[in-house]
């Protein structure tokens, strides 16, 4: 087949894998020679703290990807070109250096990324280099799933029905690129001599080496494969285990989806396969993957959600302000609320960069509906801490707990953190893991230590106010304040 281009450059970003990689396979199909590049973008890295697990995860995944490319091509001097520069300038410059006819990349949906890509596209156009982007990070994007009236969906359940119907009518295929790779392996070009040096070290990038995730979650496509193999054995029980933070229920693939070390299409294919076999766990897990797509299309079609409530009337809510609000927020961030499940959840995210999904809802709801803090404060904190931070999902989750988003929790539904604790961590195993000072309390008291008797506290060696804080707020009183706070949107509720 006649190739469209002589030399192509594949810019890998959130697709750090070889298998089922749409940008890479498109380049191999259309180009005689293909180079691959990853840019440690200074515009992204410079604002980050020097101890960032996500950078450690990316770095390890890039090193693995470089080795995988060299193995696949059979050329020791092939592999990944790795730059530490500002992408907007570095990509066009590299394309010129390589005499690339076209640059290939996967779509990126966040506003900052779209502006960056537009700048790169403009610069490439001025020098006569084609810009080709493809869909990779989601199954269906932007306006591919619409209502019968041609509008984006704003309620999840009908979106999911439409999504599943589209999958049935447009199967994903096998995702097997073996034939392409066999024919195209020789197309992977050798790196120019000045790019033959391995990826810069974390220290060179200005970061400290850290364990990337929970506990030492494996990095790269190989790590994703290990996790997926493990989850495959547990998938059928996912519906029964997913809400219990002390149980190995989740797939732990969130960070791999975030950086594309696993293909979303591969996960959907596997979930559909088990779902067709009658697996309730696979059906629920597939639903979670569709929620991810739902939030991506919300972000794409309603970009105002980045800074404001999806339901604009919710921006009329008056949140706590001033020094008192800052003190409450600091106590929440540091796990000093006096509600053990909330505090254990915050300890988990602070120590590992991960938080169980059920706890994201509990901790988020507590910040907004118990402490009266603007959901955007919590959203920013999670964005800083979560290994698997994705703007669309993070924003969607926070707007869900604040009742301001698409298909969100009703404003009058307020999680009782003690009841959530008793239901989802009945024996206090998760709490004890992250709040060991409470481990000797009776199980019935560990969810609300302030209700323990003096004798129970003494036997457990716990002094409230010293070993563990008193509750910041009373649940019943906080609930009443929240209902008053949300009164401004009561008339808008359907």
């Amino acid at each position: 087949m006649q190739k469209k281009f002589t030399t192509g450059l594949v810019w890998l970003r959130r697709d750090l894998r070889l298998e089922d990689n749409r940008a890479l396979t498109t380049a191999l199909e259309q180009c005689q020679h293909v180079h691959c590049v990853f840019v440690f973008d200074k515009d992204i890295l410079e604002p980050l703290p020097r101890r960032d697990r996500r950078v450690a995860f990316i770095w390890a995944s890039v090193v693995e990807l470089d080795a995988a490319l060299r193995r696949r091509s059979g050329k020791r001097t092939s592999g990944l070109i790795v730059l530490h520069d500002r992408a907007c300038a570095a990509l066009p410059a590299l394309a010129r250096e390589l005499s690339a006819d076209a640059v290939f990349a996967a779509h990126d949906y966040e506003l900052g990324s779209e502006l960056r890509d537009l700048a790169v596209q403009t610069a490439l156009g001025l020098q006569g280099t084609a810009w080709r982007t493809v869909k990779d990070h989601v199954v269906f994007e932007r306006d591919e799933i619409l209502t019968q009236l041609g509008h984006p969906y704003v309620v999840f359940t009908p979106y999911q029905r439409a999504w599943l119907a589209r999958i049935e009518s447009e199967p994903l295929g096998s995702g097997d690129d073996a034939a392409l790779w066999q024919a195209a392996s020789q197309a992977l070009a050798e790196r120019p001599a000045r790019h033959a040096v391995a990826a810069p070290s974390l220290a060179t990038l200005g970061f400290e080496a850290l364990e990337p995730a929970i506990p030492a979650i494996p990095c790269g496509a190989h790590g994703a494969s290990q996790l997926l193999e493990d989850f495959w054995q547990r998938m059928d029980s996912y519906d029964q285990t997913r809400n219990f933070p002390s149980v190995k229920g989740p797939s732990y693939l969130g960070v791999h989806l975030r950086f594309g070390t696993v293909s979303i299409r591969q996960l959907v294919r596997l979930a559909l396969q088990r779902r067709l076999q009658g697996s309730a766990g696979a059906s629920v897990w597939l639903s979670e993957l569709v929620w991810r797509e739902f939030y991506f299309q919300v972000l794409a079609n309603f970009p105002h959600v980045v800074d404001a409530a999806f339901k604009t009337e919710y921006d009329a809510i008056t949140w706590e302000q001033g020094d008192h609000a800052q003190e409450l927020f600091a106590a929440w961030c540091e796990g000093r609320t006096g509600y053990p499940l909330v505090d254990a959840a915050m300890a988990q995210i602070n120590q590992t960069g991960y938080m169980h999904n059920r706890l994201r809802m509990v901790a988020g709801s507590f910040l907004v509906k118990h402490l009266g803090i603007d959901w955007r404060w919590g959203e920013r904190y999670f964005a800083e801490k979560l290994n698997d931070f994705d703007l669309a999902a993070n924003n969607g989750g926070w707007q869900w707990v604040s009742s301001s988003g698409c298909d969100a929790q009703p404003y009058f539904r307020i999680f009782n953190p003690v009841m959530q604790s008793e239901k989802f961590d009945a024996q206090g195993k998760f709490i004890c893991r992250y709040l060991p000072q409470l481990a000797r309390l009776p199980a019935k008291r560990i969810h609300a230590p302030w209700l323990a008797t003096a004798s129970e506290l003494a036997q457990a060696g716990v002094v409230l106010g010293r070993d563990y804080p008193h509750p910041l707020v009373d649940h019943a009183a906080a609930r009443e304040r929240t209902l008053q706070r949300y009164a401004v949107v009561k008339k808008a509720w359907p």
Side-chain angles (χ1 to χ4, degrees):
M1 182 177 71
Q2 183 67 36
K3 302 286 188 177
K4 290 172 117 178
F5 303 106
T6 301
T7 302
L9 174 61
V10 181
W11 181 14
L12 299 167
R13 293 101 67 91
R14 297 180 55 170
D15 49 353
L16 301 178
R17 66 185 188 282
L18 298 187
E19 309 304 329
D20 198 12
N21 184 313
R22 292 285 175 84
L24 181 55
T25 55
T26 300
L28 289 172
E29 289 169 347
Q30 296 187 8
C31 304
Q32 295 178 33
H33 308 289
V34 174
H35 294 275
C36 297
V37 62
F38 180 84
V39 183
F40 283 101
D41 193 338
K42 291 181 178 180
D43 288 330
I44 296 174
L45 297 184
E46 287 179 354
L48 298 178
R50 298 305 89 187
R51 297 173 58 84
D52 194 301
R53 292 182 181 86
R54 292 166 295 195
V55 177
F57 181 94
I58 293 169
W59 180 85
S61 299
V62 164
V63 170
E64 180 193 281
L65 182 58
D66 172 53
L69 272 168
R70 285 186 277 114
R71 285 195 304 272
R72 189 64 62 93
S73 70
K75 304 170 188 172
R76 185 177 60 82
T77 54
S78 184
L80 187 65
I81 296 172
V82 182
L83 305 179
H84 181 209
D85 205 336
R86 302 190 188 280
C88 286
L91 257 296
L94 180 63
R96 288 196 305 273
E97 178 185 350
L98 299 174
S99 299
D101 307 291
V103 172
F104 298 80
H107 296 162
D108 203 338
Y109 305 98
E110 297 176 8
L111 178 59
S113 300
E114 290 180 332
L115 292 174
R116 173 205 62 201
D117 287 357
L118 180 59
V120 170
Q121 179 183 4
T122 301
L124 290 172
L126 291 173
Q127 64 190 41
T129 306
W131 170 252
R132 298 287 185 271
T133 62
V134 297
K135 179 180 62 175
D136 181 84
H137 198 52
V138 294
V139 176
F140 299 117
E141 64 181 359
R142 302 183 187 278
D143 57 356
E144 288 189 302
I145 304 288
L146 297 173
T147 68
Q148 290 183 349
L149 295 176
H151 300 149
Y153 281 93
V154 296
V155 178
F156 174 72
T157 300
Y159 173 83
Q160 179 176 232
R161 284 197 296 266
W163 193 98
L164 291 171
R166 185 75 174 267
I167 280 287
E168 291 178 6
S169 65
E170 299 178 20
L172 291 172
S174 68
D176 185 1
D177 302 325
L180 172 67
W181 277 107
Q182 185 174 5
S185 60
Q186 294 304 308
L188 291 171
E190 297 184 4
R191 291 177 293 194
R194 81 179 195 91
H195 295 297
V197 179
S201 67
L202 278 171
T204 300
L205 295 173
F207 291 86
E208 298 180 27
L210 291 169
E211 291 292 347
I214 57 154
I217 224 168
C219 301
H222 179 67
S225 179
Q226 288 179 295
L227 290 173
L228 185 55
E229 183 178 352
D230 176 72
F231 183 60
W232 181 252
Q233 310 302 318
R234 302 182 283 107
M235 188 186 296
D236 290 343
S237 61
Y238 177 75
D239 58 316
Q240 303 168 40
T241 60
R242 68 190 185 107
N243 281 312
F244 300 92
S246 66
V247 174
K248 191 179 182 181
S251 68
Y252 303 111
L253 285 165
V255 66
H256 288 279
L257 272 172
R258 171 64 178 88
F259 296 111
T261 44
V262 70
S263 162
I264 181 60
R265 292 172 295 281
Q266 179 188 11
L267 301 190
V268 169
R269 280 190 290 265
L270 292 174
L272 286 169
Q273 176 184 335
R274 291 289 268 270
R275 179 173 176 264
L276 289 172
Q277 296 168 356
S279 170
S283 293
V284 174
W285 189 54
L286 177 61
S287 181
E288 294 299 308
L289 297 177
V290 180
W291 266 107
R292 174 180 177 270
E293 303 244 321
F294 178 68
Y295 283 142
F296 266 103
Q297 68 92 29
V298 169
L299 178 64
N301 290 299
F302 306 98
H304 73 275
V305 299
V306 172
D307 302 308
F310 172 80
K311 302 171 185 173
T312 55
E313 61 270 18
Y314 279 70
D315 284 327
I317 293 173
T318 300
W319 304 105
E320 296 293 323
Q321 297 293 334
D323 291 344
H324 180 59
Q326 294 290 345
E327 291 169 3
L328 292 174
F329 182 62
W332 178 82
C333 292
E334 296 164 11
R336 296 185 287 104
T337 71
Y339 284 84
L341 188 63
V342 175
D343 293 339
M346 299 309 296
Q348 183 181 45
I349 193 174
N350 290 331
Q351 293 175 27
T352 70
Y354 171 82
M355 187 187 286
H356 188 278
N357 190 58
R358 165 60 56 174
L359 302 183
R360 296 186 196 201
M361 293 188 286
V362 173
S365 179
F366 187 88
L367 179 72
V368 174
K369 293 186 176 178
H370 281 74
L371 302 184
I373 301 299
D374 190 332
W375 59 269
R376 282 160 281 229
W377 293 22
E379 182 192 27
R380 286 193 294 270
Y381 192 76
F382 274 23
E384 177 187 333
K385 294 293 183 179
L386 284 173
N387 297 326
D388 62 1
F389 164 68
D390 221 321
L391 175 59
N394 192 49
N395 180 274
W398 276 98
Q399 295 228 34
W400 186 89
V401 300
S402 71
S403 304
S404 64
C406 277
D407 205 8
Q409 174 183 247
Y411 77 90
F412 47 80
R413 188 172 298 159
I414 301 169
F415 282 145
N416 182 324
V418 175
M419 291 178 65
Q420 290 284 309
S421 186
E422 292 171 341
K423 183 175 182 179
F424 297 113
D425 192 31
Q427 300 303 312
K429 292 181 180 179
F430 179 80
I431 291 171
C432 290
R433 184 186 308 165
Y434 287 99
L435 303 177
Q437 67 269 38
L438 301 181
R440 294 172 60 193
L441 278 173
K444 66 178 181 178
R445 299 300 188 198
I446 200 167
H447 311 288
W450 64 92
L451 297 180
T453 65
S455 174
E456 288 171 331
L457 289 170
Q459 290 180 14
V462 175
V463 176
L464 293 180
R466 183 194 70 183
D467 304 302
Y468 188 70
H470 294 281
L472 281 178
V473 293
D474 172 75
H475 168 68
R479 185 178 188 280
E480 288 305 311
R481 285 194 297 272
T482 293
L483 292 176
Q484 294 171 18
R485 189 186 309 278
Y486 276 72
V488 294
V489 298
K490 186 175 182 179
K491 293 180 180 179
W493 190 261

